[in-house]
């Protein structure tokens, strides 16, 4: 393949020393493959009911690390576009991203971020730091600003375990806005249309010393409260056996709770709600 062959990447691009950023590599040689490439003409705004949107995701730190979770519903206006959407994705062994916003762009951006981290490690020979990963993701979101202004925003939530942190402080949470603003959050955070209700639930349920099981139940309670108040957030679907995605990141790496465990915890939570519809009281 010649260097001017438009059917693929120039062959010399793969043998020329350059940046450790795969995103920068694509921007230089094949910018059309980037999910941040504008998809609408200037001045055109996407109708809010034409593209699936993901809704509520959350993260919280606990005794062993950090938990990140999300409901499964995607909506188009007042319609349910998908009932079993995966909004939480591992990006490497010690980080995961959950997203709210335009589903198609978000999924592509998560995949690109996964490649970005792998590419960096292969080029540099060491993994990127957790703070570096957050900064790199913020830069990718900032490149999507033009589409965000047209109504195609992606709002990710990054959770990870920092192997360099002091004992008991490894779990960290980073929130990002649609313009690429980066904010580290303490204890817990939520994004998406149901996030005010999820954060309200976590305010009364959160403790720094939560166990693995307690943290998972707190996340499920928060998502249940969000679904109870926000029509765009989906609660546990016992009939279809569709339950929230709950993932943990500790010094041992990323772990997604099995469907069996998530179902068991969800059913336990719903049984308790039968006795106390508004959920558990805050700990004294």
């Amino acid at each position: 393949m010649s260097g001017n062959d438009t059917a693929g990447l120039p062959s010399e691009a793969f043998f020329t020393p350059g940046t450790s950023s795969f995103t920068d590599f694509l921007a230089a040689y094949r910018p059309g493959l980037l999910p941040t490439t504008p998809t609408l003409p200037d001045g055109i705004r996407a109708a809010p009911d034409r593209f699936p949107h993901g809704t509520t995701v959350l993260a919280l730190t606990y005794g062993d690390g950090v938990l990140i979770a999300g409901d499964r519903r995607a909506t188009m206006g007042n319609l349910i576009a998908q009932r079993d959407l995966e909004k939480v994705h591992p990006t490497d062994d010690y980080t995961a991203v959950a997203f709210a916003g335009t589903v198609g762009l978000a999924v592509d951006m998560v995949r690109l971020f996964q490649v970005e981290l792998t590419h960096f490690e292969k080029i540099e020979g060491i993994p990127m730091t957790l703070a570096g990963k957050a900064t790199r993701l913020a830069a990718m979101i900032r490149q999507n600003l033009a589409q965000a202004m047209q109504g195609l925003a992606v709002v990710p939530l990054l959770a990870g375990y920092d192997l360099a942190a002091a004992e008991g402080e490894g779990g960290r949470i980073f929130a990002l806005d649609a313009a690429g603003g980066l904010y580290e959050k303490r204890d817990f955070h939520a994004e998406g249309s149901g996030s005010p209700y999820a954060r309200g639930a976590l305010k009364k349920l959160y403790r720094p010393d939560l166990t693995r099981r307690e943290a998972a139940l707190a996340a499920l309670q928060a998502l249940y409260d969000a679904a109870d108040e926000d029509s765009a957030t989906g609660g546990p679907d016992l009939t279809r056996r569709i339950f929230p995605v709950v993932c943990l990141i500790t010094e041992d790496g990323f772990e997604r709770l099995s469907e069996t465990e998530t179902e068991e915890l969800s059913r336990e939570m719903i049984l308790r709600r039968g006795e106390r519809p508004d959920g558990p009281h805050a700990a004294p």
Side-chain angles (χ1 to χ4, degrees):
M1 180 174 64
S2 68
N4 296 322
D5 190 346
T6 59
L9 287 169
S11 58
E12 60 267 24
F14 294 98
F15 302 99
T16 303
T19 176
S20 58
S21 169
F22 187 74
T23 304
D24 291 347
F25 177 81
L26 277 185
Y29 292 101
R30 292 293 295 276
L33 295 178
L34 290 171
T36 53
T37 302
T39 56
L40 299 175
D42 291 342
I44 301 298
R45 184 171 176 83
D49 59 347
R50 296 297 179 90
F51 299 94
H53 277 69
T55 47
T56 309
V57 295
L58 59 85
L60 63 121
T61 58
Y62 71 106
D64 294 331
V66 63
L67 177 150
I68 185 166
D71 82 309
R72 305 292 293 276
R73 179 172 292 178
T75 59
M76 290 194 300
N78 65 327
L79 301 178
I80 297 176
Q82 189 171 347
R83 301 179 189 276
D84 60 351
L85 177 66
E86 298 275 343
K87 302 176 189 175
V88 183
H89 301 266
T91 47
D92 64 9
D93 290 341
Y94 292 98
T95 53
V97 170
F99 64 81
T102 307
V103 172
L105 292 178
V107 170
D108 280 351
M109 208 168 289
V110 169
R111 290 172 178 165
L112 180 59
F113 186 55
Q114 291 168 333
V115 175
E116 180 84 359
L117 299 186
T118 301
H119 181 77
F120 178 93
E121 187 169 349
K122 289 183 180 297
I123 296 297
E124 299 293 336
I126 57 172
M128 194 181 298
T129 65
L130 182 54
K133 295 171 189 177
T135 302
R136 189 63 60 90
L137 181 58
M140 292 173 59
I141 296 299
R142 194 171 299 116
Q143 291 170 353
N144 191 56
L145 182 58
Q147 294 186 79
M149 297 298 291
Q150 293 180 318
L152 300 175
V154 176
V155 183
L157 183 61
L158 175 68
Y161 190 88
D162 190 348
L163 294 171
E167 185 177 355
E169 299 179 4
R172 298 174 68 183
I173 301 168
F174 296 89
L176 299 97
D177 61 32
L182 179 63
Y183 318 93
E184 184 165 4
K185 300 294 184 177
R186 292 186 59 85
D187 301 335
F188 60 85
H189 190 65
E191 293 287 359
S193 60
S195 61
Y197 314 107
R199 287 198 295 268
L202 289 173
K203 278 184 179 180
K204 65 179 182 178
L205 298 176
Y206 179 79
R207 301 192 323 271
D209 60 346
L210 290 171
T211 65
R212 178 183 186 274
R213 180 181 175 83
E214 290 171 338
L217 278 170
L220 291 172
Q221 294 276 11
L223 290 172
Y224 188 99
D225 279 345
D228 198 36
E229 301 290 343
D230 173 45
S231 61
T233 303
D237 189 334
L238 301 182
T239 304
R240 297 181 178 88
R241 298 185 68 188
I242 299 173
F243 302 97
V245 174
V246 180
C247 303
L248 309 168
I249 312 171
T250 68
E251 63 180 350
D252 295 323
F254 174 89
E255 175 195 2
R256 172 172 171 162
L257 294 193
S258 68
E259 291 290 330
T260 301
E261 186 172 3
T262 307
E263 179 175 354
E264 175 199 333
L265 292 172
S266 297
R267 290 184 181 275
E268 177 183 332
M269 176 197 66
I270 292 171
L271 184 63
R272 292 182 184 179
R273 288 283 178 143
E275 302 169 355
R276 183 173 285 173
D278 293 331
H281 293 172

